[in-house]
Amino acid sequence: MNAAAAVLCGLGTWLPPQAVTNDDLARELDTSDAWIRSRTGIGTRFVATPTVATSDLAVEAGRRALKSAGRDAVDGVVLATTTPDRPCPATAPLVAARLGLGTVASFDVGAVCTGFLYALAAGAGLIAAGTVDSVLVIGADTYSRILDPADRSTRAIFGDGAGAVVLRSGDATEPGALGTPVLGSDGTGSELITVRSGGSREPLHTFGTDTGADGRADPYFRMAGKAVFRSAVERMADAALSAARRAGWTTDDIDRLVAHQANLRILHAVADRMRIPRHRCPVHLDQVGNTAAASIPLALAHAAATGTLAPGHRTVLTAFGGGLTWGACALRWPDLTPA
Ligand code: ACO
């Protein structure tokens, strides 16, 4: 008997209401709308107010994904995030409880900006194994909490948000059925995208007593943007091509490439490397910035709502992030209404 396929059947998103424009940032930092737009393509991002945590965003997106799927229950929750409410416990059980899902299986996945694709693969694996029949896969991040207020290079890029999909068991030939995911990592690059302090290597409580690598804590997110630019392009393009091949598609067959919204120049370079027209690569970062684990479901919902992504489109999702990590997955876009 073949393992059950995971079929995407619901999509929901949530953004915190406070928009921060490039001009807003330029009033605080040595930057400009022109620099940010030309180097990243970003115009606006959204920022959660101090009392709003990642679980709050995840619950809103999860509720909407369930509504989009026409369901009030699933058998599991997989939450991709780098910004959990607390270091312990995982945030997913709290989200499951707040959604009224009872005592279902729930856990967090940490793969930074590739988190949603790792969570999607985990959810599909649980369905294929017969552990669950349906699962809510959420990507939610509150990067505003871990950005250095004085770091213009990360403040310009990252925004908060959440997106979620519902997967149910079904047949591999159905619209929405996920192809075999492609996943990879290279831990030799772990220093390139990192929050150095606050984990077991450099617990925050030991600072002030000279125990940090340089005697100082750094609790903020740091990214060597230039150093990871080329890897991001190569890994996302190569993973996307592998996922397409696994689905039996050529490059020309790919109707839409929904890539992690890291930077407009990266999206264009990925499309060019894959030799697919840039217009097949939906752009959402101009409105929301890089929302880390939330970026792909937010981009999917925006593309579906604006008609850029239509039922039947042969779609490839691809992402790259800290770890370093990357991944991709192919599916034929299903007929659904994002909520
Ligand atoms: N405004 C004005 N100047 C700025 C800003 C800003 N907001 N940010 C950086 N600069 C300056 C830098 O200080 C630097 O100045 P210097 O030359 O005097 O040192 C100059 O601009 C050039 O900086 P670069 O880092 O070389 O700029 P670049 O053109 O590479 O753009 C960026 C930076 C946007 C981060 C880009 O490198 C990028 O997008 N990289 C890839 C990011 C990525 O893919 N990350 C992985 C996924 S995300 C994740 O996993 C969390």
Side-chain angles (χ1 to χ4, degrees):
M1 196 185 80
N2 286 338
V7 179
L8 195 157
C9 63
L11 171 61
T13 58
W14 180 250
L15 290 163
Q18 191 196 338
V20 176
T21 65
N22 294 341
D23 286 333
D24 291 334
L25 286 178
R27 276 189 280 278
E28 253 187 83
L29 296 163
D30 182 14
T31 189
S32 65
D33 178 56
W35 192 97
I36 298 171
R37 277 185 200 277
S38 65
R39 295 299 186 97
T40 71
I42 296 167
T44 312
R45 70 288 296 144
F46 291 82
V47 172
T49 49
T51 56
V52 171
T54 293
S55 66
D56 300 313
L57 304 180
V59 165
E60 294 295 343
R63 204 188 315 280
R64 284 164 175 75
L66 290 166
K67 182 171 172 235
S68 162
R71 285 171 169 258
D72 53 17
V74 283
D75 302 334
V77 175
V78 185
L79 172 65
T81 188
T82 316
T83 50
D85 284 18
R86 299 175 176 177
C88 174
T91 304
L94 175 64
V95 171
R98 286 182 54 196
L99 286 170
L101 298 174
T103 55
V104 298
S106 58
F107 58 95
D108 288 1
V109 165
V112 198
C113 292
T114 319
F116 182 75
L117 285 182
Y118 268 79
L120 208 58
L126 291 173
I127 287 174
T131 308
V132 300
D133 262 339
S134 58
V135 60
L136 180 63
V137 176
I138 310 175
D141 266 313
T142 319
Y143 264 53
S144 60
R145 287 303 133 67
I146 58 171
L147 299 182
D148 177 352
D151 184 351
R152 63 183 177 175
S153 69
T154 53
R155 289 276 308 279
I157 293 173
F158 291 94
D160 302 336
V165 299
V166 175
L167 301 180
R168 62 163 173 82
S169 67
D171 191 89
T173 58
E174 288 183 68
L178 301 184
T180 305
V182 173
L183 299 173
S185 75
D186 178 5
T188 64
S190 64
E191 296 293 330
L192 297 172
I193 297 173
T194 188
V195 178
R196 203 192 74 202
S197 307
S200 59
R201 176 72 60 197
E202 293 187 15
L204 280 177
H205 60 80
T206 61
F207 286 96
T209 55
D210 243 11
T211 42
D214 56 6
R216 286 185 302 119
D218 187 357
Y220 293 122
F221 174 89
R222 304 290 177 196
M223 179 168 74
K226 217 181 190 55
V228 297
F229 198 104
R230 192 197 288 180
S231 306
V233 172
E234 293 175 357
R235 296 299 191 186
M236 278 201 275
D238 294 355
L241 288 172
S242 299
R245 267 196 302 276
R246 286 183 184 185
W249 302 342
T250 65
T251 309
D252 288 345
D253 292 331
I254 301 172
D255 295 312
R256 293 293 176 266
L257 177 73
V258 181
H260 169 53
Q261 305 282 301
N263 181 320
L264 186 59
R265 290 186 294 148
I266 290 179
L267 298 186
H268 287 163
V270 169
D272 295 351
R273 183 178 168 90
M274 291 176 68
R275 298 181 192 283
I276 69 168
R278 290 178 178 183
H279 70 80
R280 290 194 196 161
C281 198
V283 175
H284 189 221
L285 54 76
D286 53 328
Q287 296 173 35
V288 298
N290 177 342
T291 54
S295 135
I296 285 185
L298 278 166
L300 285 171
H302 181 256
T306 54
T308 309
L309 179 61
H313 270 158
R314 284 162 300 208
T315 305
V316 177
L317 316 178
T318 189
F320 174 87
L324 303 169
T325 54
W326 55 89
C329 188
L331 76 160
R332 202 177 276 270
W333 190 247
D335 190 2
L336 58 75
T337 306

